[in-house]
Amino acid sequence: MNILKQIKDCADTMPERVAFRNRSQTLTYGELWTASDRLAAALEEACGDNRQPVAVYGHKEAYMPVCFLACVKSGRAYCPIDCSVPDVRTEAILECLDSPVALAPGKLAVKTEKEIWGADRLASIIGEGQRPESGRAERNGKGAPRKTAASGMQPVNGEDTFYIIFTSGSTGTPKGVKITADCLNHFLEWSVDLGGPEKEKQGAVFLNQAPFSFDLSVMDLYTCLACGGTLWCLEKEVQEDYQSLMDSLKNSGAGVWVSTPSFAELCLADPSFGERLLPRLRTFLFCGETLPCATVCRLKNRFPQAAVVNTYGPTESTVAVTEVEITDEMANGEKPLPVGKIRPGTRIEIWDEKGELLPEGEQGEIVILGDTVSTGYLGREDLTARAFFVRKEQERQIRGYRTGDAGYLKDGMLYYGGRMDLQVKLHGYRIELEDIESNLRKLPGISHAVVIPRERGGKIRSLTAFVSRDQSLTGDEGEEQQSGDGAMLRRQLMEFLPSYMIPKKIVVLPRMPLTNNGKADRKALGGMAR
Ligand code: AMP
């Protein structure tokens, strides 16, 4: 699979087919290809020898996929940043990217030395004829080969980085996972057959729930484009309003669903969510967090014709490396559900604390080796060396990644057993609790911060933070101020962290409870959080 070639074939043979839709815009394959060519040429001219990764800032505007393809066609990786990311974090990510230009289909107003190409600039580069507009499809001679303005350029290829996705980092700074063109192409060779053969997905509508700054979106965006399908984007505003969400789903004609289980659970709360609303839906693809049996049973009840597929994997190994279609027997029987069989090209090993291989059935750390493992974290050799390794096998170098996930293998299936560190999943979002803690400690006067996940029904439902102030600021005066502090701290924290990372409750303690060895007593705090 070569995703660029695949998209070009679609643009050549069916230029008028819609590749991308949001609430107000439509983009055909023809427009996607030509617009990204023009933008690639402009990028090449502006950046010259600088081939550093380019930020693409926005939400689900039709220019987003145009910008992604323009970067890779011009030989540069792209890094999507969603508009919901707070300015301080956006600035930190922009600092890591050494391109002189940032592409911004969304409104970007942060401190940066980069030249920002906003929506107007992008429109003028791309040209009137290629501007995505409501309901308009470009008229192109069917089957006429597309002219490639960017034909002199060397697109991203092989081991070149294709995209960079930033995930929560335990030091309080996000880390950028580099995914190569090979990783993506290998992943797509497998993902097009998930839940049923590729031919059944040809031309289907794929739902996009996750913002492009999360790797789950790679599963819908590129699998869709590889199948000549239409990506139906559910924007943030649509997802936040039940009526708009159900209306959008109804109008979508979706055949393939890609989301976290949490999002499907949210939809299941609406009684109209079922086969009548989505009569063409045949495949549910889940990834990113535990898929509860109860959710599978409810989905199978409402969508008797659809396959429910659980997949597992971290951003560091290109979205997902295992898959299993959950049968009725699995859903009603054995718990927990397996996360699946391992994709060809990937090997999974289970290690003990010393890095020794554990036998089948024994739980240890899940280690992923193979052709979709990332080349590491952008500009962070220290973190890369801690989590990634290269193994030489029969003259071949194989990359490996220590996930920090616990699990075991049984009869060729992988079972997930939770995290071994302080990383959690809340409503499908990956969060390092230490990331929140370190940002809380940056707030004026805060010396200690511990974040505790609150669980119900075996699932994390919210976060509670406990903080204590600098000793120098406490005393009578300090303690008097504490009662109203939580709300103020939440507001302050919003400057630094996206809303899904803000603890629901922040409790200011006169003093942090400590264990015998002087560490914050997470167990005691866990009891207080309940
Ligand atoms: P992300 O990098 O955001 O995709 O998050 C990756 C992490 O999500 C993994 O390391 C797991 O801890 C968790 N995860 C991914 N898929 C599953 C799954 N199917 N079941 C349970 N946890 C999962």
Side-chain angles (χ1 to χ4, degrees):
M1 166 90 59
N2 176 331
I3 185 63
L4 281 183
K5 186 176 172 306
Q6 202 79 9
I7 299 170
K8 182 172 187 308
D9 286 349
C10 291
D12 282 344
T13 55
M14 42 184 194
E16 291 187 50
R17 176 168 290 178
V18 174
F20 183 98
R21 278 193 106 113
N22 60 24
R23 260 181 313 175
S24 56
Q25 297 170 309
T26 306
L27 189 72
T28 65
Y29 275 90
E31 288 167 326
L32 174 62
W33 192 259
T34 312
S36 54
D37 257 2
R38 292 184 187 165
L39 187 53
L43 262 181
E44 178 70 6
E45 203 177 312
C47 301
D49 290 339
N50 181 316
R51 311 225 149 259
Q52 295 299 314
V54 180
V56 180
Y57 181 89
H59 182 48
K60 300 196 179 180
E61 297 82 1
Y63 279 150
M64 291 299 275
V66 172
C67 291
F68 300 163
L69 292 194
C71 293
V72 293
K73 281 179 176 184
S74 80
R76 294 166 178 85
Y78 69 87
C79 171
I81 308 174
D82 191 71
C83 289
S84 60
V85 176
D87 290 353
V88 178
R89 218 166 165 90
T90 300
E91 283 165 13
I93 296 175
L94 288 175
E95 281 235 331
C96 301
L97 308 169
D98 286 332
S99 168
V101 169
L103 307 178
K107 210 166 172 343
L108 176 61
V110 298
K111 280 187 252 125
T112 175
E113 284 172 5
K114 295 185 195 309
E115 197 182 311
I116 299 173
W117 294 7
D120 290 344
R121 175 83 182 265
L122 293 172
S124 78
I125 293 168
I126 290 163
E128 280 296 326
Q130 302 301 320
R131 202 176 294 187
E133 275 166 21
S134 170
R136 191 188 55 72
E138 187 201 0
R139 303 274 147 224
N140 271 314
K142 224 179 180 164
R146 231 115 267 287
K147 286 217 182 71
T148 306
S151 53
M153 282 174 250
Q154 191 58 48
V156 160
N157 189 24
E159 287 288 86
D160 301 337
T161 305
F162 194 99
Y163 66 78
I164 295 167
I165 281 188
F166 275 81
T167 67
S168 177
S170 57
T171 54
T173 321
K175 49 193 185 191
V177 181
K178 296 184 288 180
I179 296 297
T180 67
D182 275 350
C183 289
L184 177 63
N185 288 327
H186 289 310
F187 166 73
L188 292 171
E189 272 154 28
W190 173 75
S191 71
V192 292
D193 287 324
L194 287 175
E198 177 185 354
K199 62 177 184 315
E200 287 172 12
K201 297 194 190 70
Q202 284 297 330
V205 174
F206 284 63
L207 272 189
N208 158 265
Q209 171 247 323
F212 295 119
S213 50
F214 290 96
D215 87 327
L216 181 58
S217 67
V218 170
M219 177 117 87
D220 47 74
L221 171 65
Y222 289 111
T223 312
C224 170
L225 296 179
C227 293
T230 300
L231 192 73
W232 184 278
C233 290
L234 298 170
E235 289 128 303
K236 189 167 174 279
E237 301 75 26
V238 174
Q239 294 186 31
E240 282 168 357
D241 176 71
Y242 255 111
Q243 195 54 52
S244 314
L245 177 57
M246 291 304 138
D247 288 348
S248 181
L249 291 176
K250 187 166 195 265
N251 294 331
S252 69
V256 183
W257 176 287
V258 181
S259 84
T260 56
S262 291
F263 182 69
E265 281 155 25
L266 185 119
C267 294
L268 278 165
D270 191 302
S272 74
F273 182 67
E275 202 174 42
R276 279 180 60 193
L277 191 82
L278 288 158
R280 295 198 198 151
L281 196 65
R282 294 291 174 273
T283 313
F284 281 98
L285 298 180
F286 290 115
C287 192
E289 56 180 353
T290 300
L291 176 60
C293 290
T295 309
V296 178
C297 292
R298 291 176 75 196
L299 286 173
K300 281 178 169 282
N301 218 341
R302 303 237 197 136
F303 297 90
Q305 297 192 70
V308 178
V309 181
N310 193 13
T311 73
Y312 156 89
T315 306
E316 286 85 343
S317 64
T318 319
V319 194
V321 289
T322 69
E323 59 98 14
V324 57
E325 184 178 334
I326 308 294
T327 59
D328 290 343
E329 201 185 336
M330 284 176 187
N332 294 315
E334 186 185 2
K335 287 176 194 172
L337 291 174
V339 294
K341 301 183 289 294
I342 301 151
R343 66 170 277 279
T346 292
R347 189 187 327 153
I348 285 187
E349 294 180 352
I350 306 294
W351 290 7
D352 67 11
E353 315 85 77
K354 293 193 200 116
E356 305 284 339
L357 260 186
L358 285 170
E360 162 149 341
E362 271 190 44
Q363 179 151 305
E365 183 176 9
I366 300 173
V367 178
I368 301 173
L369 297 106
D371 57 11
T372 59
V373 172
S374 151
T375 45
Y377 301 115
L378 181 73
R380 294 304 307 264
E381 275 70 32
D382 52 339
L383 296 180
T384 302
R386 247 181 269 160
F388 293 89
F389 59 92
V390 176
R391 191 185 286 170
K392 207 166 168 201
E393 267 179 20
Q394 295 157 356
E395 303 307 309
R396 280 181 58 222
Q397 308 258 36
I398 302 176
R399 280 197 295 272
Y401 170 67
R402 299 185 62 160
T403 61
D405 288 331
Y408 63 92
L409 288 163
K410 201 171 159 216
D411 302 328
M413 286 278 187
L414 181 69
Y415 289 78
Y416 176 77
R419 288 292 301 175
M420 302 173 76
D421 56 13
L422 295 178
Q423 183 181 300
V424 297
K425 277 288 168 116
L426 176 63
H427 309 310
Y429 294 109
R430 166 170 160 178
I431 302 171
E432 301 272 358
L433 297 180
E434 289 150 302
D435 192 352
I436 307 174
E437 291 166 2
S438 104
N439 276 285
L440 273 167
R441 281 195 297 271
K442 284 185 205 153
L443 301 181
I446 300 296
S447 61
H448 275 79
V450 174
V451 178
I452 303 289
R454 296 189 63 187
E455 286 186 29
R456 198 164 18 92
K459 202 166 173 173
I460 295 172
R461 307 286 170 173
S462 67
L463 302 174
T464 301
F466 294 92
V467 298
S468 63
R469 295 198 168 276
D470 280 345
Q471 287 301 312
S472 57
L473 296 177
T474 53
D476 292 346
E477 210 188 313
E479 286 185 27
E480 267 172 34
Q481 290 174 357
Q482 283 164 14
S483 49
D485 272 1
M488 183 187 75
L489 291 171
R490 287 187 84 239
R491 275 196 302 279
Q492 289 177 340
L493 198 58
M494 278 178 200
E495 265 183 57
F496 302 98
L497 294 175
S499 53
Y500 67 82
M501 290 178 76
I502 308 293
K504 193 164 174 196
K505 201 162 145 202
I506 300 183
V507 181
V508 185
L509 297 171
R511 144 196 301 261
M512 192 62 74
L514 300 180
T515 60
N516 288 344
N517 61 12
K519 289 187 178 176
D521 190 341
R522 287 183 184 269
K523 211 165 157 202
L525 292 168
M528 291 163 72
R530 248 173 252 133

